[in-house]
């Protein structure tokens, strides 16, 4: 073996030595028993027996990339995509002057792109997408003139798009999406005459629609959704680009008319222009686009005009997704739409469609989503809908459908959401709905339905979000089968004609949070068995015939709202729990009640009133006495332990983490599939957060991995551990365990494991979107949900500031740190900047401090910038900014224009203006410039309860 060949062998073995995990055993053949040219994934040239290709994609390899790869001087192809290789890209790659293909897609590479890659002058395929690279895109594109494919998407690259990319005149594909680059699209792109695919989605770009498009006649894909681009689309769009296949412009600020010239894009497959500011009628003849698969536009500030050739869409036989919203169709749905056999999503919300729903819809056997909400449909729901075996979402609410609910709906075995509320449906609820075993949401509210509720409906254990049958004419008693709703969160049967007593089996509905039986004819007492419903927050039993004493267990459940008004309850009203808050309870119309807190203005209870049902047995008295004695002993022990603990002056990290059962690095590595980018769900200043499955039961958790290379990361880890050791509350993110260990390379590794929050952060709801690749129900928060989230956060702050011993100041309250669980409960997280201060320190909130400013710009209070010490009033400022942006709101309030600045989706007939104004006032006062002028958290909670009751009334 000559020296050059031997060098190749050594380089390959060096590469193998840096791979720490080879799950498929692909490198077992890399040993002396075979020539290296026969090793798996290695290809050599025929003449010189030198390595020309290293091809190991999709192997699950874990490790780092050896710099000795730079010694493989004949190497032309490196393909290592879809592995778990991390660390930096070695600059020695620049030594490979013969390299043509470099594909490191979907790994975990960090740091910067090595600038000396420019030495690889023959490079034609360059793919570093789906990694964690940072910094600017290096200005390396004056030498890589042969490159045809450049993919850098899904990284943390910043600093704008280099104009020098315009020098790559051979470029055919440029993919930079999902990088926070910022800036504008360079005019130099006009020189990319061979460009076929350009993807610049979610890059934070500004400016107008790029004029260079006119010069790029070979373009097939133009994609730049979710930017800040403005202006109108060119009237001759598509005339110079006859090969357009995908045109994706959604979530920008384009104005003007949709150009009719789009009809000339004869090869167009995807056109998505949703969520812009287009106006006027739509003259485009989409029926000419025979290859069209995806068509989506609408959801603008104002409704669009009429699609003049709407019927012609039935000619698009390849159409799979049709999404239009806020388009003034003012006509019926053509029967010919039943010929669109490939259609999977038909979503035509709020588009003024009238007439009947054609029975031909039943021919759309591929349909998974049918959403026609907010139109003017009349007539019956066709029986043929029962043939849609793949249908998962059926939204026909807010129309004028009449007649019965067809029994054939029971055939929809895949259905998980059915919304038929606010129509004119009659007759009884078909028992066949009980066959829809995958339903998680069912609403038939605000119709004219009669008869009893089918028992099978109460046995749908799949129902987990809502069962809403309110505002109908349903009658009969509630059957024992109601206990089958074990997973249900909201049960609303209000405003019907139900009678009889509450069944004790209701106690099995342990997930219930919202229970509304108001305005019926229910009677009797509230069963003691209901004390097991510990998740209850909102209970409304008003306007029934309930009698007897108010159950004692109601003061033990953490209720946020209890309405027992207009019944026949009697006796003493409690003073603890929900009964201690007049804004959270309504008991008017019960004329035989007495006692309670003074604010209720009830008569004092007489001795007879107090004794009724209140006598304690001897056993209970003894039990209370024993409990008091045990509590006293426990309290003495606690005080002793606290005194003893203060004497220990340990501040080491093990002390901070000893409260949590530790977990190994290997376990977390496996749980996240090697901390793969697919499992990455968020990044922050000091850490990345991964989704992981940690045990054989499939428990999903969130794993926060500290980037210890960042200055302050270790301090953040210690602060978070210290804070979480002392606090526990239902509205704080729960820490499960921690890891303080070494990784496979012997480097320090620190992580915290939390409960996984399936509804992500509040920020993701405030800035939600859909993409052409999957249908996502619009992520919107209605007024009640927003109030509930604000209340949950307020409860968390109240606990941190006043109810957990020392004063805990969060210091970084913002939407991305408010996490929502599966039931939309809010939990405050990320305690990396938290400061724990004693009550004595807290008494002097404005003393000067030289400490570094804590928090995030925009949410940190102004006094922190002046050097003042952190305080609870600083948290209150951040909390206020969660409501509103102070400067805009302040001026609007002064001018009397509050309703012009709130979220437009809240301005509807069901929302009271007074509620919105009250919320705005809370936000403004909390975010006052002066700390002394800010509301305290107790008053916030009091005000929010009032607003919540008003919003729901």
């Amino acid at each position: 073996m000559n020296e050059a060949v031997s060098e190749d062998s050594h380089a390959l073995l060096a590469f193998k030595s840096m791979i720490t995990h080879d799950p498929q055993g692909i490198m077992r053949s890399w040993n002396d028993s075979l020539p290296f040219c026969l090793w798996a994934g290695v290809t050599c040239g025929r003449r010189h027996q030198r390595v020309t290709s290293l091809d190991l994609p999709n192997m699950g390899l874990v490790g780092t990339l050896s710099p000795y790869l730079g010694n493989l001087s004949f190497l032309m192809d490196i393909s290592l995509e879809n592995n778990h290789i991390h660390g930096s890209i070695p600059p020695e790659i620049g030594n490979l002057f013969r390299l043509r293909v470099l594909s490191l897609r979907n790994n975990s590479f960090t740091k910067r792109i090595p600038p000396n890659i420019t030495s690889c002058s023959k490079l034609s395929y360059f793919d570093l997408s789906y990694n964690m690279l940072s910094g600017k895109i290096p200005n390396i594109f004056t030498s890589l003139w042969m490159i045809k494919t450049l993919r850098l998407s899904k990284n943390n690259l910043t600093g704008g798009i280099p104009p020098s990319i315009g020098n790559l005149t051979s470029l055919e594909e440029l993919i930079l999406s999902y990088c926070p680059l910022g800036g504008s699209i360079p005019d130099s792109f006009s020189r990319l005459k061979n460009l076929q695919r350009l993807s610049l989605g979610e890059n934070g770009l500004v400016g107008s629609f790029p004029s260079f498009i006119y010069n790029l006649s070979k373009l097939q894909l133009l994609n730049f959704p979710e930017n800040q681009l403005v202006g109108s689309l060119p009237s001759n769009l598509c005339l110079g680009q006859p090969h357009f296949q995908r045109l994706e412009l959604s979530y920008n600020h384009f104005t003007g008319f949709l150009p009719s010239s789009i009809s000339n894009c004869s090869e167009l497959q995807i056109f998505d222009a949703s969520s812009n500011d287009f106006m006027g009628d739509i003259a485009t003849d989409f029926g000419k686009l025979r290859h069209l698969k995806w068509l989506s536009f609408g959801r603008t500030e104002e409704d669009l005009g009429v699609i003049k050739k709407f019927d012609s869409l039935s000619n698009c036989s390849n159409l799979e997704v049709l999404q239009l919203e806020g388009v003034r169709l003012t006509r019926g749905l053509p029967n010919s739409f039943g010929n669109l056999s490939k259609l999977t999503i038909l979503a035509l919300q709020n588009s003024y469609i009238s007439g009947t729903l054609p029975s031909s819809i039943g021919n759309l056997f591929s349909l998974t989503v049918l959403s026609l909400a907010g139109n003017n449909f009349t007539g019956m729901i066709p029986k043929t809908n029962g043939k849609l075996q793949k249908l998962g979402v059926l939204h026909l609410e807010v129309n004028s459908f009449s007649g019965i609910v067809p029994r054939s709906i029971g055939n929809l075995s895949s259905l998980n959401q059915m919304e038929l509320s606010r129509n004119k449906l009659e007759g009884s609820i078909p028992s066949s709905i009980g066959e829809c075993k995958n339903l998680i949401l069912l609403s038939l509210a605000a119709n004219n339905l009669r008869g009893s509720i089918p028992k099978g409906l109460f046995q749908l254990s799949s129902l987990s979000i809502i069962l809403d049958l309110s505002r109908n004419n349903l009658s009969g008693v509630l059957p024992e089968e109601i206990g089958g709703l074990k997973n249900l969160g909201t049960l609303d049967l209000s405003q019907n004609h139900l009678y009889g007593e509450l069944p004790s089996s209701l106690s099995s509905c342990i997930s219930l949070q919202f229970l509304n039986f108001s305005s019926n004819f229910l009677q009797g007492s509230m069963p003691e068995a209901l004390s097991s419903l510990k998740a209850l927050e909102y209970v409304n039993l008003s306007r029934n015939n309930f009698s007897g004493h108010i159950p004692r267990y109601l003061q033990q459940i953490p209720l946020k709202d209890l309405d027992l008004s207009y019944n026949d309850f009697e006796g003493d009203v409690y003073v603890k729990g929900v009964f201690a808050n007049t804004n959270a309870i309504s008991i008017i119309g019960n004329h035989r009640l007495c006692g309670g807190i003074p604010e209720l203005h009830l008569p004092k209870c007489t001795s007879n009133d107090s004794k009724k049902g209140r006598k304690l047995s001897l056993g209970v008295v003894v039990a209370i006495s024993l409990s008091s004695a045990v509590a006293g002993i426990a309290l003495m022990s606690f005080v002793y332990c606290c005194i003893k603990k203060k004497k220990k002056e340990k501040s080491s990290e093990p002390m901070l983490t000893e409260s949590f059962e530790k977990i190994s690095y290997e376990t977390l590595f496996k749980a996240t599939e090697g901390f793969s980018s697919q499992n990455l769900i968020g990044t922050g200043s000091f850490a990345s957060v991964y989704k992981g499955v940690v045990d054989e039961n499939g428990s999903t958790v969130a794993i926060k991995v500290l980037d210890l290379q960042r200055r302050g990361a270790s301090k953040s880890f210690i602060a978070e551990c210290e804070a979480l050791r002392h606090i526990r509350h239902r509205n704080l993110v729960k820490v499960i365990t921690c890891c303080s260990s070494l990784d496979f390379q012997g480097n320090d590794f620190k992580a915290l494991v939390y409960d996984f929050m399936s509804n992500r952060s509040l920020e993701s709801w405030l800035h939600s979107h859909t993409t052409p690749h999957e249908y996502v129900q619009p992520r919107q928060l209605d007024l009640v949900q927003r109030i509930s989230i604000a209340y949950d956060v307020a409860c968390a702050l109240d606990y941190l500031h006043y109810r957990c011993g020392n004063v805990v100041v969060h210091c970084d309250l913002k939407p991305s740190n408010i996490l929502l669980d599966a039931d939309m409960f809010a939990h405050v997280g990320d305690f990396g900047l938290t400061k724990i201060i004693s009550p004595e320190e807290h008494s002097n909130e404005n003393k000067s401090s030289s400490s570094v400013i804590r928090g995030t710009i925009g949410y940190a209070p102004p006094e922190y910038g002046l050097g003042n010490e952190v305080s609870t009033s600083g948290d209150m400022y951040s909390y206020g900014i969660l409501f509103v942006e102070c400067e805009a709101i302040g001026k609007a309030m002064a001018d009397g224009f509050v309703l012009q600045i709130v979220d437009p989706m809240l301005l509807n007939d069901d929302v009271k203006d007074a509620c919105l104004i009250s919320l705005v006032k809370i936000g403004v006062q909390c975010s006052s410039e002066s700390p002394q002028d800010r509301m305290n958290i107790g008053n916030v909670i009091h005000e929010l309860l009032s607003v919540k009751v008003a919003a729901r009334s």
Side-chain angles (χ1 to χ4, degrees), residues 457-505:
L457 209 58
F458 293 129
Q459 294 173 320
L460 282 175
S461 59
S462 59
L463 283 171
S464 57
I465 301 178
I466 292 175
L467 174 58
D468 188 354
L469 307 178
S470 64
R471 292 173 288 169
N472 281 288
N473 298 306
L474 300 169
S475 58
V477 299
L478 294 174
E480 288 293 325
E481 285 79 1
I482 198 171
L485 302 174
K486 301 182 188 303
N487 303 307
L488 188 64
T490 294
L491 177 59
D492 192 346
L493 305 180
S494 61
Q495 298 185 49
N496 280 289
H497 304 303
L498 303 172
Y499 55 86
E501 298 187 355
L502 291 181
S504 58
S505 61

Side-chain angles (χ1 to χ4, degrees), residues 292-354:
L292 195 64
K293 294 182 178 179
W294 181 295
L295 177 61
S296 179
F297 56 85
R299 277 192 243 153
T300 57
E301 293 276 337
E302 299 180 2
D303 292 338
L304 274 166
V306 178
I307 301 180
K308 293 184 176 180
K309 298 184 179 180
F310 180 66
D311 288 14
S312 68
L313 280 168
S314 59
N315 297 329
C316 302
S317 57
N318 291 301
L319 200 61
E320 297 175 6
V321 174
L322 177 58
Q323 290 180 280
L324 307 176
E325 184 171 354
V327 180
R328 291 185 174 271
L329 297 177
T330 60
R331 50 146 305 143
L333 197 62
N335 193 60
S336 57
F337 268 38
N339 299 326
L340 301 175
S341 59
K342 296 181 180 179
L343 204 62
T344 60
I345 295 174
L346 178 59
L348 306 175
Q349 305 98 311
N350 305 311
S351 292
Y352 303 89
I353 305 174
S354 57

